[in-house]
Amino acid sequence: MSFVTGLVCVSCGGSFREGDASTCPRCGPGEGILDARFDLPAVGKSLTRASLAGRPPTHWRYRELLPIGPAPIPESLLIGWTPIIEAPRLAKALGVARVRLKDEGRSASASFKDRASSVGVVRALNERATAIACASTGNAASSLAHCAAAVGLRCNIFVPQSVPQGKLAQLLAYGARVFKVLDNYAAAYDLCERACARFGWYNRNCAVNPYLVEGKKTGGLEVAEQCADDPPNWVSVSVGDGCTVAGIAKGIAQMKALGIIDWSARVLAVQAAGVAPIARAFESGHFEPMSVGGTYADSIDCPVPRNWRKAVESVRASDGAFVSVTDEQIMDAVRVTGRLAGVFAEPAAAAAVAGVAEAVRRGVIHSGASVVAMITGNGLKDTAGALRAVGSPHEIRASMDEVARIAERDGEIAPR
Ligand SMILES: *Cc1c(COP(=O)(O)O)cnc(C)c1O
Ligand SMILES: [Zn+2]
């Protein structure tokens, strides 16, 4: 059975039954984003700490909190339950008592987006869709292409011009039909919407599909369960469209409402300084989309975020904060996350780490705090971007003298 009781418009508060609307007809597809509501008392009868202990290590362990009803879940969709890694040296560098990293880079297609795409694919199969589609700057697309290939669905992807090679290679390797739109993300997005309407493809675009953000929610459900007896004060996550941060906040809040945890964590939402319309809306109360973006962190280069309202409200409800970080701070975070924690983060993921340092500097996060940073994507996604941050190798002739020269310059002394 489904535990979804209905959908509520985040703009006007209007309620809808499942299946009656995908966006609020009064507020329109731009503003009328819907939020799925669940019968939590009913969920709590079967989803308990004790029952969770016996469930498989995937995000399907939370199926009562996912909008998939009794749909069967293909065994090939192994998503979720990524590890949480203690990072004491990174904590020291960031100036905070404790840092743990939730490494979503280990997910099937190497990003957090697998959580949403897998829910989309299960729903598409249940609705007997023949194909699925999305517009994406990269990770939403590569995760959808992975999930579609894993279950045998046809997949259509609209990417903007500026997609990194690693992500493009993933799409093609998973066999998606890729439309590289010679324009920006907004144009690719609009074209995808129209193509879905015309051909009946299942639309994975997160903001207009109220069910996909529920998949992202499992990131928050997992943080809650994995840290149940050892709670963080803050959870840091980078923000583009706003679905990820909203999903994570909702997941933690639902685990508290169910009594599986008895704490809540404050959410630190991190935007890139060059593309920070949601951070500005959080400060000023007024949302203004941008005409162009521009950040090194391509996955959060989102000048027209569709889910700004959910993001602002969920961060506020958690007593959280927004910060923005420069590309230089993000590059620095790529370096320290790799070197001090052994985790290779793509730029948008490293932004969550950069945000912790910035929040500590501004006095938003106290130096005694414990933080979980969401590493939303793997650095191998964008090796060109990574190389801009991490330097270059020592080019040498095949000579021991040259090895010795460099090792000694670094202060090494060979034992006699
Ligand atoms: C998509 C993405 C984000 C941000 O998620 P939004 O829902 O767009 O806010 C952060 N990091 C990575 C690696 C992503 O792919
Ligand atoms: Zn509305």
Side-chain angles (χ1 to χ4, degrees), residues 24 136 184 280 365:
C24 173
S136 163
N184 60 16
R280 275 201 289 280
I365 292 185

Side-chain angles (χ1 to χ4, degrees), residues 267 281-285 310-322:
V267 174
F282 187 81
E283 297 299 326
S284 69
K310 264 189 195 175
V312 164
E313 281 170 11
S314 63
V315 172
R316 195 157 278 147
S318 82
D319 192 26
F322 266 84

Side-chain angles (χ1 to χ4, degrees), residues 332-366:
D332 191 49
V334 169
R335 283 191 292 272
V336 293
T337 306
R339 289 166 196 188
L340 303 177
V343 173
F344 185 15
E346 74 159 273
V353 172
V356 174
E358 178 65 19
V360 170
R361 192 159 36 243
R362 290 200 210 159
V364 172
I365 292 185
H366 187 264

Side-chain angles (χ1 to χ4, degrees), residues 78-262:
L78 290 173
I79 307 295
W81 208 248
T82 53
I84 290 194
I85 301 161
E86 199 70 49
R89 288 176 300 283
L90 181 60
K92 198 153 180 241
L94 299 178
V96 72
R98 189 168 177 208
V99 170
R100 282 170 280 181
L101 304 177
K102 185 154 172 68
D103 189 6
E104 296 290 313
R106 303 191 193 197
S107 188
S109 83
S111 89
F112 187 89
K113 297 286 196 295
D114 285 345
R115 297 179 182 277
S117 294
S118 57
V119 168
V121 159
V122 168
R123 285 188 63 94
L125 289 175
N126 214 30
E127 291 173 17
R128 301 188 193 291
T130 55
I132 192 158
C134 84
S136 163
T137 51
N139 285 333
S142 48
S143 79
L144 188 68
H146 155 72
C147 293
V151 305
L153 259 184
R154 176 141 215 186
C155 183
N156 297 284
I157 304 291
F158 295 78
V159 293
Q161 256 172 310
S162 58
V163 55
Q165 293 288 306
K167 293 175 181 176
L168 190 60
Q170 271 189 303
L171 296 177
L172 297 167
Y174 292 133
R177 184 200 272 150
V178 181
F179 299 97
K180 184 167 168 181
V181 182
L182 303 179
D183 207 324
N184 60 16
Y185 175 62
Y189 187 98
D190 285 338
L191 197 57
C192 177
E193 297 281 298
R194 278 158 47 206
C196 285
R198 173 135 169 205
F199 292 102
W201 301 335
Y202 187 90
N203 188 349
R204 183 241 181 263
N205 288 334
C206 205
V208 299
N209 184 320
Y211 302 112
L212 293 170
V213 68
E214 303 301 317
K216 293 190 168 183
K217 182 177 79 183
T218 64
L221 298 172
E222 284 178 24
V223 168
E225 191 186 350
Q226 290 171 308
C227 302
D229 298 320
D230 189 3
N233 305 107
W234 289 86
V235 176
S236 175
V237 59
S238 63
V239 177
D241 211 26
C243 310
T244 301
V245 70
I248 288 169
K250 186 173 182 180
I252 295 172
Q254 285 191 331
M255 289 294 257
K256 186 172 184 203
L258 287 166
I260 294 173
I261 56 170
D262 59 5

